[in-house]
Amino acid sequence: MEVSLTVNGQGVTREVDPRTTLVDLLRDHLSLTGTHVGCDTGQCGACTVHLDGRAVKACSVLAGQAEGAEVTTIEGLAPDGELHPMQAAFRECHGLQCGFCTPGMVMAAVDLVRRNPDPDEATIREQLEGNYCRCTGYHNIVRAVREAAGRM
Ligand code: FES
Ligand code: FES
């Protein structure tokens, strides 16, 4: 099947197997490897991207379901090479270690702050519970999101 969508502001069309997931379209067909695959079963959140402005787990969306949609990946958050405030806050607050979870965590956190501009710690922890991190213990991630919310 053919699928056409907008990715990071650019229109793209690709021929894909109907079983292709959105994350495989992004990584394998468009070389946007900033979006990671941790579990491939909708649990870890490493594959989180924005679909029409809302965070989704791209391993749980078929490429065909994104037909006509606007998708933003971690690459699209800093199109001119300048870090998005959420990325800058993760760096400054030491919200990452190995970085494997970080693209998905950042995309989920940006959506969270757009919907809730002044989230408290409990809200951040609850809303990011679909994004696993195996390094940081989450404390600095929460600090980073609070810091970025103030800047966004
Ligand atoms: Fe999609 Fe884990 S790879 S949720
Ligand atoms: Fe390593 Fe989160 S920084 S999994």
Side-chain angles (χ1 to χ4, degrees):
M1 65 181 286
E2 192 174 88
V3 58
S4 298
L5 65 164
T6 302
V7 180
N8 299 335
Q10 287 203 316
V12 294
T13 298
R14 289 292 184 278
E15 192 72 33
V16 298
D17 185 287
R19 295 167 296 182
T20 304
T21 60
L22 178 58
V23 74
D24 287 340
L25 173 69
L26 294 170
R27 289 178 55 86
D28 299 343
H29 295 258
L30 301 175
S31 299
L32 291 168
T33 54
T35 302
H36 294 165
V37 179
C39 65
D40 220 4
T41 55
Q43 297 177 70
C44 75
C47 63
T48 303
V49 300
H50 293 174
L51 180 66
D52 288 333
R54 290 299 303 268
V56 297
K57 294 178 176 179
C59 71
S60 302
V61 177
L62 290 171
Q65 292 176 292
E67 170 69 30
E70 300 244 1
V71 171
T72 305
T73 69
I74 191 73
E75 291 91 345
L77 270 196
D80 302 320
E82 179 138 348
L83 293 182
H84 184 281
M86 188 64 72
Q87 293 173 303
F90 266 67
R91 183 172 69 176
E92 290 161 29
C93 297
H94 304 288
L96 64 143
Q97 288 183 27
C98 79
F100 192 83
C101 72
T102 310
M105 196 70 82
V106 166
M107 297 308 284
V110 168
D111 180 40
L112 185 174
V113 173
R114 282 185 185 152
R115 287 181 289 107
N116 183 346
D118 187 23
D120 60 20
E121 179 177 338
T123 301
I124 294 168
R125 288 184 182 275
E126 191 211 331
Q127 299 223 353
L128 292 183
E129 69 184 11
N131 289 75
Y132 296 175
C133 177
R134 285 295 168 258
C135 302
T136 65
Y138 299 98
H139 182 69
N140 287 348
I141 290 174
V142 174
R143 277 183 54 223
V145 177
R146 290 277 303 153
E147 177 68 26
R151 299 182 196 176
M152 286 170 65

XYZ file of all heavy atoms in Angstrom, residues 20 116 124 132 144 151:
51
model
N 3.226 -2.651 8.212
C 4.311 -1.776 8.680
C 3.808 -0.827 9.767
O 2.776 -0.179 9.611
C 4.858 -0.947 7.496
O 5.267 -1.841 6.478
C 6.022 -0.071 7.928
N -0.670 20.855 29.774
C -0.699 21.277 31.173
C 0.563 22.113 31.425
O 1.609 21.576 31.773
C -0.716 20.038 32.078
C -0.812 20.407 33.544
O -0.617 21.569 33.924
N -1.111 19.428 34.380
N 3.507 15.034 36.656
C 4.560 14.614 35.718
C 4.818 13.123 35.861
O 4.882 12.386 34.878
C 5.848 15.421 35.963
C 5.614 16.897 35.623
C 7.002 14.853 35.123
C 6.721 17.816 36.100
N 9.396 4.318 30.143
C 10.319 3.692 31.089
C 11.737 4.244 30.913
O 12.205 4.447 29.801
C 10.403 2.184 30.866
C 9.139 1.409 31.112
C 9.091 0.050 30.837
C 7.998 2.015 31.611
C 7.928 -0.685 31.058
C 6.833 1.291 31.837
C 6.806 -0.061 31.554
O 5.672 -0.784 31.755
N 13.702 18.155 35.095
C 13.856 18.722 33.747
C 12.514 19.169 33.184
O 12.420 20.237 32.569
C 14.510 17.691 32.817
N 10.004 27.433 30.910
C 10.546 28.104 29.720
C 9.585 28.037 28.531
O 9.665 28.862 27.628
C 11.854 27.440 29.303
C 12.930 27.520 30.367
C 14.192 26.885 29.862
N 15.109 26.615 30.944
C 16.271 25.988 30.779
N 16.627 25.569 29.583
N 17.064 25.766 31.801
